[in-house]
Amino acid sequence: MARIKAFLFSLRGKAIIIGTFCIIIFMGVAVYIILSTEWSYYFRDREDLARVLAETAGVNFTNAILHQGVGPEGTKNLDYYIQDLLSKEKSILTISIFDKNGMLIAHSNSFEHNRFYEDAKEVIAHESTFLREIKDKERGPVLETITPLMAGEKRLATLRIEFSLKDLYDRLTLRAKNMFLRTLIAISGAILLLYFGINAMLKPVRRL
């Protein structure tokens, strides 16, 4: 115990402790900045993809409503486009279409047809494409995309597509674990080099 205390209060001990502390802080900040930057980049990329997909799909849904209306035949065509979109994009959780009064007229789950949604008024209130991330306890992180279906200046309906962000979070979690392991190895190596470097620097001092 006395030897440890003597080491901690020695010039060499203080230099190693301060150096180690600085290394850990520097590496921690660097890892945080890298992960934050990567998250922003990947999330923005996912947002752009969701926006383009929703607005592109909205053209097909708008045409189906214009040509067939919102009756049984129109709903049949909407269901066809919904299933086609689901088969092409695996990250989609749900697709729903609300009329201008907030009533559900099409959904990726047939059991949801004609169901009343409490947030329907909020959904149809958006005048342009709107995106937000939702934390869902059952489904995990979800990216909600809402876009109005317009024919000129007339609003026909509103499209909502929910995308799963679980794969994105899983990828970044794995990336963070790998970086954490590499950081530990780098810190250990840096501390070892620091120890030998300080010893070499203090040799002349100890001789005095």
Side-chain angles (χ1 to χ4, degrees):
M1 188 69 181
R3 293 180 63 183
I4 295 176
K5 187 176 181 180
F7 171 78
L8 292 177
F9 285 97
S10 67
L11 181 61
R12 182 178 62 175
K14 290 178 180 179
I16 291 176
I17 291 173
I18 294 173
T20 301
F21 180 77
C22 292
I23 291 172
I24 292 174
I25 293 297
F26 174 78
M27 295 296 288
V29 171
V31 169
Y32 174 78
I33 292 174
I34 292 173
L35 289 177
S36 298
T37 303
E38 286 191 1
W39 164 250
S40 299
Y41 171 79
Y42 285 124
F43 186 74
R44 190 164 54 248
D45 184 64
R46 186 62 63 89
E47 277 190 325
D48 292 340
L49 176 62
R51 183 187 301 275
V52 170
L53 190 62
E55 292 179 348
T56 303
V59 175
N60 290 331
F61 292 123
T62 300
N63 289 335
I65 295 174
L66 278 174
H67 296 149
Q68 302 295 339
V70 293
E73 190 63 31
T75 301
K76 182 179 179 181
N77 287 334
L78 290 175
D79 290 339
Y80 168 78
Y81 287 124
I82 286 174
Q83 295 306 317
D84 181 62
L85 189 57
L86 286 172
S87 66
K88 292 178 179 177
E89 182 53 57
K90 301 302 181 183
S91 66
I92 294 178
L93 294 173
T94 64
I95 301 174
S96 49
I97 301 176
F98 300 84
D99 67 14
K100 59 184 179 181
N101 297 316
M103 293 298 297
L104 188 67
I105 59 176
H107 197 279
S108 52
N109 184 348
S110 58
F111 293 103
E112 296 289 319
H113 282 199
N114 298 320
R115 176 187 167 187
F116 175 75
Y117 281 81
E118 294 182 357
D119 63 343
K121 295 298 182 182
E122 179 188 351
V123 171
I124 65 174
H126 296 289
E127 298 296 333
S128 59
T129 301
F130 171 79
L131 296 94
R132 66 178 174 182
E133 183 182 359
I134 300 173
K135 303 293 185 180
D136 191 291
K137 292 182 179 179
E138 297 181 357
R139 300 180 299 172
V142 175
L143 179 61
E144 180 186 48
T145 307
I146 299 171
T147 188
L149 304 181
M150 308 290 293
E153 297 184 357
K154 182 180 179 182
R155 185 172 192 150
L156 302 176
T158 303
L159 170 66
R160 175 168 69 181
I161 303 178
E162 293 179 314
F163 298 86
S164 173
L165 292 176
K166 186 177 182 301
D167 63 317
L168 180 60
Y169 275 86
D170 289 344
R171 186 193 315 168
L172 289 175
T173 299
L174 180 61
R175 172 72 169 157
K177 288 180 179 178
N178 290 336
M179 288 195 67
F180 179 73
L181 180 60
R182 293 174 183 174
T183 301
L184 285 180
I185 296 174
I187 289 176
S188 300
I191 292 174
L192 190 63
L193 291 175
L194 178 67
Y195 175 79
F196 288 116
I198 290 176
N199 278 340
M201 292 173 60
L202 293 180
K203 275 185 179 179
V205 176
R206 289 201 299 267
R207 287 172 183 172
L208 296 176

